[in-house]
Amino acid sequence: MNRLYLACMLLLAVFTVQAQTRKLSGTVVESGTTTTIPGANISVAGTDAKAVSDVNGKFAIDVATDKAYTLVIKYVGYTDQSIVIQPTDQSIKVNMT
């Protein structure tokens, strides 16, 4: 009985940890224009979380809900961008130069 209880508690803990993420969405554009950048690489520094902007420059990536983190955006021919994201941010616009 104790083993069953322990197994259930461990499973509950795993699901709780997974529930502490949210989606951050955004658009990658060329600075000073409205030209979107498809294929830009977006990652969360220090984690394995990654995304690629779609044909319209849009992306969505899973991020932590309880802390600030750094989003890194890279695309060939542009300067890499590092943006600090706050827990309250839901959507961002990335201007590539």
Side-chain angles (χ1 to χ4, degrees):
M1 182 71 171
N2 285 338
R3 288 183 188 208
L4 178 60
Y5 178 74
L6 180 61
C8 288
M9 293 308 289
L10 287 173
L11 261 169
L12 182 61
V14 168
F15 288 121
T16 301
V17 169
Q18 289 178 343
Q20 294 177 350
T21 62
R22 64 182 172 88
K23 288 263 188 227
L24 172 75
S25 62
T27 306
V28 182
V29 298
E30 184 175 16
S31 184
T33 72
T34 59
T35 304
T36 58
I37 299 178
N41 294 303
I42 299 97
S43 61
V44 178
T47 73
D48 292 331
K50 294 179 179 21
V52 176
S53 59
D54 68 13
V55 69
N56 297 314
K58 296 187 180 299
F59 68 90
I61 191 166
D62 288 324
V63 296
T65 59
D66 59 346
K67 63 180 180 176
Y69 53 89
T70 302
L71 204 62
V72 179
I73 304 91
K74 297 181 179 186
Y75 190 75
V76 175
Y78 291 86
T79 303
D80 295 353
Q81 301 292 318
S82 294
I83 301 171
V84 176
I85 303 298
Q86 299 302 321
T88 55
D89 293 338
Q90 295 180 0
S91 182
I92 63 167
K93 182 177 179 182
V94 180
N95 293 302
M96 299 295 286
T97 56

